[in-house]
Amino acid sequence: MKITDIQFGMLRVPLKTPFKTALRTVDRVEDIIVMVHTDCGHIGYGEAPATAVITGDTHGSIVDAIRHYISPRVIGQDIANLNRITQLIQGSMEKNSSAKAAVEIAVYDLWGQLYQAPLYKLLGGGDPVITTDITISVDYIDKMVADSISAVDRGFESLKIKVGKDIGVDIERVKAIYAAVEDRALLRLDANQGWTAKQAVYALQTLEDAGVKLELVEQPVKARDLEGMRYVTERVHTPVMADESVFGPMEVIELIRLRAADIINIKLMKTGGISNAVRIADIAGMHGIECMIGCMLESSISVAAAVHLAVAKADVITKVDLDGPSLCQYNPVDGGVNFNESEISVSDAPGLGIREIRGLEKI
């Protein structure tokens, strides 16, 4: 099975409600879909969102990176030589992690199709059912409380609360949500780099002193401020998770060396795909560090790849934040992974199991 061509499409799916963080507001998924064709008729699917404020990738840069730098290296390669292909993808250019991820996901999809096995089994096996949290966008307090109660009533047992806009209001937001959901859900805070180190310590200590129990706080300070991350980690009881501070394996090693965080958030769009995500999980596991598997605003195509990885690496990836498809008004994919509110289940279809993508615009 050899790669013969790579084609592109644009997928647009409206969200149920606007997605608001300290960094941006988005009302629909707009992702580049990658279709890797082979000489035996099989197609592998990948996906990349344009998340310029985090990865630096735009729709145009994703397509150009793949078309001019990645495609010339991988066309003609045999899918059986997976490690060689992933090395070619990663070595094709600097950065451009989302573009690399989209192609890698499609290649791994084909790898599963080649051996007629679901991807998670080739990555190590596991229980093909996992549970995700759901994001509560930053908003007026009453709206966030209402959204939290609705999510819990729908069966979500973990809520990811977006904060980082206003330190005083953030504290009141969390207190109100904690009081509203009581013991029915775990709360995860995500500041999206919105606080300084001192603000983060103040907010978290204030919440802890008020009796608010938090499962974790995600990326409280700027991505490059590892000293700030360590400052927070050393001064609060709440576990601190690194997200934007960690893109690849080398950053994970540095983070662990500095003891700057307790948990690592793996996202395929940051790691450049599955190969580096596996390396990060293995490094974290060696050091006894837990990981979360997360996503950007992605549909069920690339999130499916993250699900397969989470199933296979469940000993290290103990927390799941793969709610992208649940935030969409509809699922444009036939086949693949089944997303049913908080429960995500994987079929035994080969690769990612995707049969068709509806509403795809050709590029």
Side-chain angles (χ1 to χ4, degrees):
M1 185 186 289
K2 292 186 178 180
I3 298 173
T4 57
D5 191 22
I6 297 180
Q7 298 179 1
F8 305 93
M10 174 69 79
L11 183 66
R12 305 180 200 271
V13 182
L15 300 176
K16 295 175 182 176
T17 186
F19 182 84
K20 300 177 182 179
T21 75
L23 294 175
R24 58 182 179 146
T25 298
V26 183
D27 60 9
R28 63 179 174 172
V29 166
E30 289 186 302
D31 290 359
I32 299 294
I33 306 303
V34 172
M35 293 154 283
V36 177
H37 293 256
T38 64
D39 58 357
C40 55
H42 288 263
I43 301 174
Y45 294 98
E47 175 185 12
T51 317
V53 294
I54 299 173
T55 65
D57 297 290
T58 66
H59 291 136
S61 73
I62 290 166
V63 172
D64 282 353
I66 296 172
R67 182 172 284 154
H68 300 299
Y69 294 90
I70 300 175
S71 289
R73 286 184 166 230
V74 302
I75 288 177
Q77 294 296 320
D78 194 316
I79 292 298
N81 297 326
L82 179 69
N83 286 344
R84 172 168 173 75
I85 295 176
T86 59
Q87 288 169 5
L88 289 170
I89 293 170
Q90 297 304 321
S92 62
M93 62 195 307
E94 289 295 315
K95 304 192 183 296
N96 291 274
S97 59
S98 297
K100 293 175 181 177
V103 180
E104 265 212 8
I105 289 168
V107 168
Y108 272 86
D109 183 14
L110 288 168
W111 187 52
Q113 294 178 44
L114 174 65
Y115 293 107
Q116 285 293 296
L119 182 56
Y120 80 89
K121 287 190 176 180
L122 296 181
L123 292 175
D127 182 355
V129 180
I130 59 176
T131 302
T132 182
D133 63 12
I134 192 166
T135 300
I136 306 299
S137 289
V138 63
D139 214 313
Y140 297 110
I141 293 176
D142 290 347
K143 177 68 164 57
M144 294 181 72
V145 169
D147 289 346
S148 299
I149 293 172
S150 173
V152 172
D153 289 342
R154 286 156 48 203
F156 287 93
E157 297 179 350
S158 296
L159 307 179
K160 185 174 180 179
I161 312 298
K162 292 291 187 179
V163 291
K165 283 280 192 179
D166 181 302
I167 192 75
V169 179
D170 283 340
I171 292 170
E172 295 309 312
R173 286 181 173 115
V174 178
K175 285 181 178 179
I177 292 170
Y178 185 76
V181 301
E182 297 178 345
D183 297 325
R184 294 196 293 159
L186 296 173
L187 300 189
R188 301 167 175 174
L189 301 193
D190 185 3
N192 283 114
Q193 310 178 61
W195 293 333
T196 66
K198 288 187 176 182
Q199 284 177 328
V201 170
Y202 167 73
L204 293 168
Q205 287 183 349
T206 299
L207 290 169
E208 290 170 356
D209 290 345
V212 176
K213 298 177 182 177
L214 302 172
E215 185 182 11
L216 58 87
V217 59
E218 181 176 354
Q219 199 62 48
V221 303
K222 296 295 184 184
R224 295 180 182 177
D225 187 10
L226 296 189
E227 289 295 335
M229 287 286 286
R230 181 166 66 177
Y231 180 91
V232 178
T233 300
E234 291 175 343
R235 287 165 174 80
V236 300
H237 296 294
T238 302
V240 175
M241 181 167 71
D243 179 9
E244 291 92 345
S245 288
V246 176
F247 273 62
M250 295 306 294
E251 289 153 321
V252 172
I253 292 171
E254 179 67 4
L255 193 87
I256 292 172
R257 186 187 70 81
L258 291 174
R259 298 182 180 179
D262 305 294
I263 308 167
I264 295 164
N265 193 352
I266 300 172
K267 292 180 179 175
L268 299 185
M269 295 305 131
K270 293 187 305 171
T271 64
I274 295 172
S275 61
N276 275 332
V278 170
R279 292 186 182 97
I280 288 173
D282 289 343
I283 292 168
M286 290 172 60
H287 291 85
I289 303 292
E290 291 182 79
C291 292
M292 174 185 279
I293 188 77
C295 61
M296 307 294 194
L297 268 182
E298 303 157 41
S299 79
S300 59
I301 300 164
S302 55
V303 176
V307 171
H308 280 267
L309 176 64
V311 168
K313 292 290 186 180
D315 57 328
V316 176
I317 299 174
T318 59
K319 305 177 192 305
V320 178
D321 175 35
L322 297 177
D323 61 345
S326 296
L327 301 176
C328 294
Q329 288 188 16
Y330 60 87
N331 184 1
V333 176
D334 288 333
V337 170
N338 181 47
F339 295 87
N340 182 21
E341 296 288 18
S342 63
E343 183 178 281
I344 305 174
S345 56
V346 184
S347 74
D348 276 342
L352 298 180
I354 296 170
R355 295 188 295 268
E356 183 184 1
I357 304 172
R358 299 183 301 277
L360 199 59
E361 305 170 18
K362 286 192 176 182
I363 298 178

